Amino acid sequence: MPSILIAEDNEDLRKMLAWLLQPRGYETLQAATGKEAIQVAIAAHPNLILLDLNLPDMNGADVARAIKTDTRTAHIPIVGWSAYFGEHWREEALRAGMVAYMEKPLSVSVIEATIKQFILAD
């Protein structure tokens, strides 16, 4: 079963995403902070990471850079998201090693399509 790490400080959104993804055949892992996301990625090697750019302890781009520079986790695709609008944020996410960037509010159909695109790619 493919696993997805949901790194999101908003507990309600994190739980809602897990609730949506589990019946679709994904194991979900959760992290509320950047440091926790890095630790879970190293320990669990998820197939995909969904990463908020605005975490309480670290910028999501810094989390992505840390994951991408660690040989144990560099292969994991990271999809960033944020309530921040604009090309600047998308460019920052992609420069940090993320494979895609989504703007909140998140649509279920966009989340599903994005996950399938990167889960099926590995």
Side-chain angles (χ1 to χ4, degrees):
M1 174 183 306
S3 61
I4 299 173
L5 169 57
I6 304 165
E8 167 64 54
D9 60 324
N10 180 312
E11 183 179 5
D12 292 336
L13 179 55
R14 200 172 58 243
K15 286 182 177 182
M16 182 197 70
L17 285 167
W19 178 80
L20 286 169
L21 295 173
Q22 289 169 347
R24 288 168 170 79
Y26 300 107
E27 175 188 358
T28 58
L29 309 161
Q30 297 182 34
T33 67
K35 289 180 183 177
E36 188 180 1
I38 294 166
Q39 292 169 346
V40 173
I42 290 169
H45 300 276
N47 297 90
L48 179 70
I49 299 171
L50 299 176
L51 176 63
D52 186 7
L53 261 70
N54 190 22
L55 294 169
D57 62 338
M58 295 176 73
N59 176 300
D62 292 333
V63 174
R65 284 185 197 93
I67 290 170
K68 288 300 187 178
T69 57
D70 189 312
T71 57
R72 297 169 291 181
T73 55
H75 66 283
I76 303 169
I78 302 170
V79 174
W81 66 44
S82 178
Y84 301 135
F85 288 90
E87 196 59 32
H88 165 76
W89 298 105
R90 180 178 314 283
E91 289 172 6
E92 174 71 14
L94 297 177
R95 273 195 307 272
M98 296 181 207
V99 295
Y101 177 77
M102 298 183 291
E103 293 176 343
K104 293 178 183 175
L106 301 170
S107 137
V108 173
S109 61
V110 169
I111 293 169
E112 282 185 303
T114 303
I115 288 170
K116 286 180 182 175
Q117 177 183 357
F118 295 108
I119 291 263
L120 295 176
D122 53 348

